[in-house]
């Protein structure tokens, strides 16, 4: 058995978006891969015949082909493809085995939904300058002018203030496009649309106050497709964020995922149901103190498009994903509030779909040692069966396993997480430890495949994955513990976990401790090394160092950091007090700084200030700047840049790990 290497990243395959045919006897699915030669990603769409156990390739064009969606007749499917540069809607027809492009919009398409008549479809895109929704070749502008505070967006760059996300309706047999309404997708959710089974009503998530850049609240609106009148169905709550609308079979209830509190990332999502006749709302997850949706951390997550909330006519309940206790599980929820976890096994369910004809579902699953697999679950017996639809990924590779850990903080708080031993672990031998801190802070280390973690284990390191205050999966109180308290209990939680594993595992060499992290995790690396010298070397990535300047340079700084630190530009002392840069003189740990040029979430200036300050004080630091990369470098950046990033990490650790 060979150990994981950096180049194994290029062999990765992940399964996503299984969707059953209306007869339940076959399904489409997506396989995501990396093309090392072309330095890009591509995904193909396949069809699996359940009766024959056979699979065949349907769409393969070295592009990202995603979002497959059957029509009601089961004779064709829509999908999105970026083969012309940006996502457009395409139609595949089985009778003729042909592909037809249905949209040509300049800003690309984010989501798509069939109309019940099989002749029309809804899609989400962005309209600018009230222009006709046609692709237009424009000269590069030489000036950008705005009067909007939210003029910048990570992954997109400068954003025109006259742009608006809109839902349009198109036809499969003619080039007609009509704007239906504006729409919004709350952070952490995927789908903003649902159509009643009679095709009369479209439910759409929209911002409650689109003109207020400080208000991130959203609600669900039911649109009458005959006269296009709108009704706010989340009117029971004046604040909150609601998305993932889902009709029950008879259109008598509309399920949704959201929160009634003013939108902030720290607030957990739950499941709600709206009674269409009574015009009343009930929260189905009132007794579930966990985050509904998938917030597990991984660098191998596939893009998924199936709804996070799905209704089962046969089981008479909703199904959804919940992030809890270091796993992402499938849960069922009835309208009377009965909640059940299908399986409490430590794993990461990334996507699922319900069989329309049988009491079963398909789930895409990842574990620490399995990047991606497709599982069929019998909903009566909960028995699971793996469907071998792709060749075994990483056959002959040796992986390390995750072991759950938990310690108690000085104030009684929980300090949970995982410890990952070196791949070639030998009892009695001493090994170094790398603390790997997740971003967010509202995210969660989970029992899922993480190439970077397995690579570190293969290089002979213990890897400590802590879920300190601010992590999802352990209830709202655990999340609230970081708000306004960056660098306090979250910092001591991490050190508590370090002390705990050192005491529990004698093979950890206390003189060879290292720390790394990205985004919020990068902030925490900077904070740690400016408050303790116990680590031999550090790696800070897409990090934060100065909240005073970041308030004005991050795409979300003007509201997120105000919420997080309870201070704004009128109170810079508070922001500076929470900034690692204020304590840079204390740093004695050699630090590798890695930042992306097009990262507008944690801008380059944060790394520049940190690096320059360290060098000014004659500290040991190395600065790696990645062009053509943004905040998502480690997860979906250009493959060759991800390769360089991992090599820089390993080289830096080895440089200071001279045993």
């Amino acid at each position: 058995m060979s150990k994981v290497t950096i180049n194994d990243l290029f062999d990765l395959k992940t399964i996503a978006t299984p969707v059953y045919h209306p007869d339940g006897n076959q399904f489409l699915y997506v396989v995501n891969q990396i093309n090392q030669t072309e330095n890009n990603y591509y995904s193909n769409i396949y069809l699996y015949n359940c009766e024959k156990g056979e699979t065949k390739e349907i769409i393969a064009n070295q592009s990202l082909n995603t979002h497959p969606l059957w029509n009601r007749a089961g004779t064709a499917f829509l999908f999105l493809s970026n083969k012309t540069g940006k996502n457009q809607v395409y139609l595949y027809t089985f009778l003729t085995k042909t592909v037809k492009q249905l949209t040509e919009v300049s800003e690309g398409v984010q989501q798509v939904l069939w109309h019940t008549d099989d002749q029309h479809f809804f899609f989400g895109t962005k309209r600018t300058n009230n222009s006709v929704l046609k692709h237009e070749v424009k000269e590069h502008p030489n000036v950008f002018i705005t009067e909007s505070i939210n003029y910048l967006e990570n992954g997109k760059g400068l954003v025109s203030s006259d742009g608006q996300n809109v839902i349009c309706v198109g036809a499969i047999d003619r080039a007609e496009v009509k704007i239906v309404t504006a729409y919004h997708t709350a952070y952490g959710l995927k789908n903003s649309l649902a159509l009643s089974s009679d095709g009369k009503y479209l439910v759409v998530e929209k911002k409650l106050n689109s003109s207020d850049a400080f208000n991130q609240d959203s609600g669900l609106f039911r649109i009458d497709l005959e006269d296009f009148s709108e009704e706010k169905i989340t009117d029971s709550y004046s604040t909150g964020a609601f998305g993932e609308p889902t009709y029950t079979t008879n259109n008598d209830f509309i399920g949704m995922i959201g929160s009634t509190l003013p939108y902030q990332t720290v607030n957990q999502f739950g499941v709600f149901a709206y009674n269409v006749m009574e015009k009343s709302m009930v929260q189905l997850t009132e007794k579930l103190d966990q985050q509904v949706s998938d917030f597990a951390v991984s660098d191998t997550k596939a893009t998924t498009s199936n709804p996070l909330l799905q209704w089962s006519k046969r089981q008479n309940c909703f199904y959804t994903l919940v992030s809890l206790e270091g796993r992402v599980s499938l849960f069922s929820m009835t309208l009377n509030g009965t909640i059940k976890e299908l399986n409490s096994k430590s794993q990461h369910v990334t996507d699922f779909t319900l069989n329309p004809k049988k009491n079963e579902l398909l789930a895409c699953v990842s574990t620490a040692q399995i990047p991606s697999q497709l599982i069929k679950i019998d909903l009566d017996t909960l028995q699971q069966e793996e469907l071998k639809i792709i060749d075994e990924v990483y056959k002959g590779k040796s992986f390390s396993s995750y072991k759950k850990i938990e310690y108690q903080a000085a104030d009684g708080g929980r300090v949970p997480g995982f410890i990952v031993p070196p791949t070639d672990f030998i009892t009695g031998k001493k090994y170094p430890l790398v603390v790997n801190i997740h971003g967010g802070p509202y995210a969660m280390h989970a029992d899922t495949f993480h190439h970077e973690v397995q690579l570190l284990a293969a290089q002979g390191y213990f890897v400590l994955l802590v879920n300190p205050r601010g992590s999802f999966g352990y209830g709202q109180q655990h999340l609230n513990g970081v708000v306004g308290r960056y660098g306090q209990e979250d910092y001591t939680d991490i050190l508590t976990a370090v002390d705990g594993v050192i005491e529990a595992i004698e093979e950890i060499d206390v003189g060879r401790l290292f720390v790394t992290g990205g985004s919020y995790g990068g902030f925490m690396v900077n904070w740690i090394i400016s408050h303790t010298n116990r680590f031999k070397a550090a790696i800070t990535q897409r990090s934060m160092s100065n909240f005073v300047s970041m308030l004005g340079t991050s795409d979300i700084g003007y509201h997120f950091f105000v919420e997080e630190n309870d201070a704004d530009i009128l109170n810079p002392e508070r922001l500076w007090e929470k900034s690692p840069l204020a304590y840079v003189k204390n740093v004695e740990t050699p630090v590798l700084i890695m930042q992306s040029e097009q990262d507008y979430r944690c801008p380059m200036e944060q790394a520049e200030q940190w690096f320059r300050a360290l060098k000014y004080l004659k500290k040991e630091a190395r600065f790696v700047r990645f062009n053509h990369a943004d905040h998502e470098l480690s997860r979906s950046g250009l493959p060759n840049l991800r390769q360089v990033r991992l090599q820089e990490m390993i080289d830096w650790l080895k440089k200071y790990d001279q045993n």
Side-chain angles (χ1 to χ4, degrees), residues 113 133 178 235 277 317 381 449 465 569 578 599 656:
L113 176 71
L133 294 168
K178 180 178 181 179
D235 205 39
M277 291 295 294
C317 64
T381 65
F449 189 82
L465 308 172
I569 199 62
K578 292 295 180 182
D599 188 340
Y656 295 95

Side-chain angles (χ1 to χ4, degrees), residues 83 129 177 249 275 327-328 398 416 455 470 473 478 485 495 624:
K83 70 175 185 177
N129 298 317
V177 171
T249 306
N275 188 313
R327 65 184 185 274
V328 181
S398 177
L455 176 64
H478 192 75
R485 304 184 66 80
L495 295 188
V624 181

Side-chain angles (χ1 to χ4, degrees), residues 41-84:
Y41 300 84
Y42 68 100
S43 52
N44 298 338
I45 299 176
Y46 294 81
L47 178 68
Y48 183 84
N49 187 304
C50 300
E51 295 177 343
K52 297 180 180 179
E54 297 175 352
T55 189
K56 64 179 178 179
E57 193 174 67
I58 303 296
I59 304 294
N61 51 27
Q62 288 298 309
S63 303
L64 289 173
N65 302 289
T66 60
H67 294 66
L69 196 63
W70 291 98
N71 63 358
R72 276 193 165 190
T75 58
F77 66 89
L78 296 174
F79 67 99
L80 300 185
S81 178
N82 71 343
K83 70 175 185 177
T84 61

